[in-house]
Amino acid sequence: NYIGLDEYLNICQQNGFTQRNDKLQLSSYLHDLGVCLHFQKDSLLNKTVILKPKWGTDAVYKVLDNEKVIRNLGSFTRTDLANIWCEDEYATMHGELLQLMINFKLCYEIPRSPGKYIAPQLLSANQPSYNWDETNNLILRYTYDFMPKGIITQFIVAMNKLRNKQQYVWKSGVVLSKDQTEAEVIEYYGKQEIKIRVSGRHKRDLMTIVTDELDDIHDLYKRLKYNKFIPCNCVTCKDNQEPHFYLFEELRDFIANKQDKIQCRKKPYKMVNVLGLIDDVMDKDQFIQQGEIRGGGDNYYINAKEVQIQKGNNLMSNQSPQEEKPKSEDVKLPFAFRNGMFYLFVTVVIFCLIAFFGGSLPFHYLALTIIGTAIFMVLIGVLQLRQDNRLSEKSFVDLTKMVLEQLPLISNIIKQFQSNK
């Protein structure tokens, strides 16, 4: 079912893998494919390669399906695990299997209660009663085309260190606390929605922590389609528990099209600053890093060289005093003689002249003219390559000399000049 890391490395050595990095890269590749399990970044699990993932998942579900754990609403201890994993195949792997459950975000250790664990999917479905300050809340919503089960339980496990009290967590939600700020995160599975409310002194900071973790969980699901909705901050919506929400992608589109204002859909339909809406729930520097911001007006510039957010009397900018505002570059049309079409035109004209005068020229003159024209065409190609910066100056000179040496008279002049040097 499993082998130690040293045994795995020896097997790789016997099969032609001599470098340790190559051996670990192979196990990482097999882990990603689901052939085996090897958590290289985990200080405990990196010493074991689980050859049969089903063996590990069976052990995990022995805990989640245990009647005592279910009766205790997902609560269990190490003693419970010893009774559940009593078979010989699990006897020496209790620590690794528990860490496997934590890595899968299926359970977490209760803060300030060592040895006691919670499987959040087995928590009570009833939301506990608690006091919530609804003044000046920061609210954000995620909606899903199809919401996979397990998002909120993974979130609860990942954020367990920020939980204020164990009783403020239930099957579909949790209340977090940090720096005199609280966040309520609730999954409404029937509506295919997760709603976040934040209250306290540092609302945006805690909101950023929450959304970052949810976005990381979203990234685990391939082709997951969801929308993020940003609340309006106009006078009507600011202290409203049901504000108007803007689709986050709509706000990004406004910025891309140099629109710094958007209208609230609630009376009296005030205009609000687009970047101000985003800055309420997300650090502007984080937003800039997500992609190129193409703004306009006095508020923001191309490639995020400067971003200014006007909120009341506060002006926020990430531009240093020494930086200059980006200047637009003038569009210059190419000079006619630097354009490849000009050389093509000249070549066509010469061919037409040869065809017109060919009948009246002696044969040897006609032959020389045709050869010279062919060499001239090659020279045109060399000139165009240089013009397109596909040849260095030295290569351009060498190639031009090679072409000119094909003409007898010029070739003799070049050789005589080289011999004199």
Side-chain angles (χ1 to χ4, degrees):
N1 295 318
Y2 59 89
I3 57 175
L5 178 60
D6 291 338
E7 184 178 353
Y8 165 77
L9 296 175
N10 288 333
I11 293 172
C12 289
Q13 186 76 29
Q14 296 168 12
N15 286 273
F17 289 85
T18 58
Q19 300 297 320
R20 181 182 177 88
N21 286 341
D22 293 339
K23 300 171 185 177
L24 293 177
Q25 186 176 1
L26 174 62
S27 75
S28 177
Y29 177 66
L30 295 174
H31 176 96
D32 292 339
L33 290 176
V35 176
C36 68
L37 296 177
H38 187 203
F39 295 89
Q40 295 185 20
K41 295 181 180 179
D42 190 285
S43 59
L44 178 60
L45 289 177
N46 66 4
K47 299 179 179 65
T48 303
V49 179
I50 298 176
L51 301 177
K52 296 180 181 179
K54 186 177 183 300
W55 173 83
T57 55
D58 286 347
V60 167
Y61 280 101
K62 277 181 173 291
V63 178
L64 300 180
D65 293 337
N66 182 268
E67 291 183 3
K68 181 181 177 181
V69 176
I70 293 173
R71 283 198 309 270
N72 291 336
L73 300 178
S75 176
F76 60 90
T77 65
R78 285 184 176 270
T79 303
D80 295 326
L81 293 179
N83 294 327
I84 295 170
W85 293 327
C86 58
E87 293 93 337
D88 291 341
E89 59 181 317
Y90 305 125
T92 61
M93 293 291 289
H94 290 180
E96 287 81 358
L97 290 171
L98 175 59
Q99 191 61 33
L100 188 66
M101 292 184 68
I102 293 173
N103 274 17
F104 285 153
K105 292 186 171 65
L106 295 174
C107 72
Y108 61 86
E109 188 173 23
I110 299 174
R112 297 177 293 279
S113 298
K116 293 184 179 180
Y117 299 86
I118 288 288
Q121 60 267 49
L122 299 177
L123 286 168
S124 170
N126 299 321
Q127 181 177 350
S129 59
Y130 50 85
N131 296 323
W132 183 266
D133 182 6
E134 295 187 347
T135 305
N136 197 23
N137 283 187
L138 187 56
I139 303 173
L140 187 141
R141 293 167 47 227
Y142 285 92
T143 64
Y144 303 81
D145 291 355
F146 175 77
M147 187 178 192
K149 289 188 176 181
I151 290 179
I152 193 65
T153 54
Q154 292 182 69
F155 176 81
I156 291 171
V157 173
M159 305 297 289
N160 76 86
K161 292 181 180 179
L162 294 183
R163 283 185 299 100
N164 189 12
K165 296 181 180 180
Q166 176 57 34
Q167 63 264 35
Y168 294 161
V169 57
W170 62 104
K171 191 172 184 178
S172 59
V174 64
V175 176
L176 308 174
S177 180
K178 180 180 173 63
D179 299 333
Q180 297 179 301
T181 310
E182 292 186 327
E184 176 193 72
V185 184
I186 303 177
E187 175 190 86
Y188 298 97
Y189 192 78
K191 296 180 180 179
Q192 302 283 284
E193 174 180 306
I194 289 178
K195 185 176 180 180
I196 307 163
R197 291 195 301 174
V198 184
S199 174
R201 294 186 59 182
H202 306 288
K203 293 187 289 292
R204 190 184 70 174
D205 293 343
L206 187 51
M207 177 65 82
T208 300
I209 293 172
V210 169
T211 55
D212 281 352
E213 184 59 43
L214 282 171
D215 289 340
D216 287 344
I217 294 172
H218 292 151
D219 291 340
L220 299 175
Y221 296 88
K222 294 182 179 179
R223 296 184 292 276
L224 177 64
K225 294 182 180 180
Y226 65 93
N227 293 310
K228 186 187 296 186
F229 288 90
I230 308 295
C232 182
N233 60 8
C234 73
V235 176
T236 303
C237 297
K238 197 168 186 65
D239 286 328
N240 195 331
Q241 287 294 306
E242 296 294 335
H244 172 70
F245 286 92
Y246 302 95
L247 187 63
F248 182 59
E249 290 303 319
E250 180 185 20
L251 298 182
R252 290 177 65 98
D253 189 55
F254 264 61
I255 292 173
N257 288 282
K258 304 179 182 179
Q259 302 298 313
D260 61 347
K261 298 286 186 181
I262 191 170
Q263 188 177 36
C264 177
R265 272 68 159 184
K266 286 183 177 287
K267 293 181 180 179
Y269 308 112
K270 294 286 187 179
M271 300 298 292
V272 291
N273 183 274
V274 176
L275 278 175
L277 292 169
I278 294 172
D279 187 59
D280 276 348
V281 298
M282 179 188 297
D283 179 39
K284 63 183 175 62
D285 292 328
Q286 180 194 34
F287 176 66
I288 292 167
Q289 291 169 4
Q290 289 184 357
E292 221 178 51
I293 295 181
R294 299 186 176 274
D298 296 325
N299 289 330
Y300 34 88
Y301 297 98
I302 293 176
N303 294 329
K305 295 296 184 184
E306 176 180 331
V307 174
Q308 293 181 326
I309 304 172
Q310 187 73 47
K311 291 176 64 182
N313 296 324
N314 298 322
L315 184 65
M316 302 173 61
S317 173
N318 73 332
Q319 184 189 34
S320 61
Q322 292 80 13
E323 288 181 339
E324 294 183 359
K325 294 180 180 179
K327 298 179 181 179
S328 59
E329 296 183 358
D330 293 330
V331 179
K332 295 183 180 180
L333 295 175
F335 184 52
F337 289 94
R338 297 174 63 184
N339 194 305
M341 291 300 295
F342 170 77
Y343 298 117
L344 182 61
F345 172 74
V346 171
T347 303
V348 172
V349 170
I350 292 174
F351 264 114
C352 291
L353 291 175
I354 291 174
F356 182 76
F357 292 107
S360 58
L361 288 175
F363 176 77
H364 56 280
Y365 284 128
L366 180 61
L368 287 173
T369 302
I370 293 173
I371 294 172
T373 302
I375 294 174
F376 182 68
M377 289 177 61
V378 176
L379 187 60
I380 288 173
V382 174
L383 289 170
Q384 190 59 45
L385 287 173
R386 175 57 187 153
Q387 173 59 34
D388 293 340
N389 290 324
R390 294 165 67 182
L391 282 179
S392 64
E393 290 186 8
K394 183 178 183 305
S395 299
F396 171 70
V397 172
D398 292 343
L399 195 53
T400 302
K401 187 173 72 173
M402 289 174 59
V403 173
L404 293 177
E405 285 178 350
Q406 304 307 310
L407 294 173
L409 179 61
I410 298 178
S411 175
N412 291 335
I413 294 174
I414 292 174
K415 290 178 181 178
Q416 184 177 1
F417 177 74
Q418 290 177 339
S419 62
N420 290 335
K421 287 182 68 175

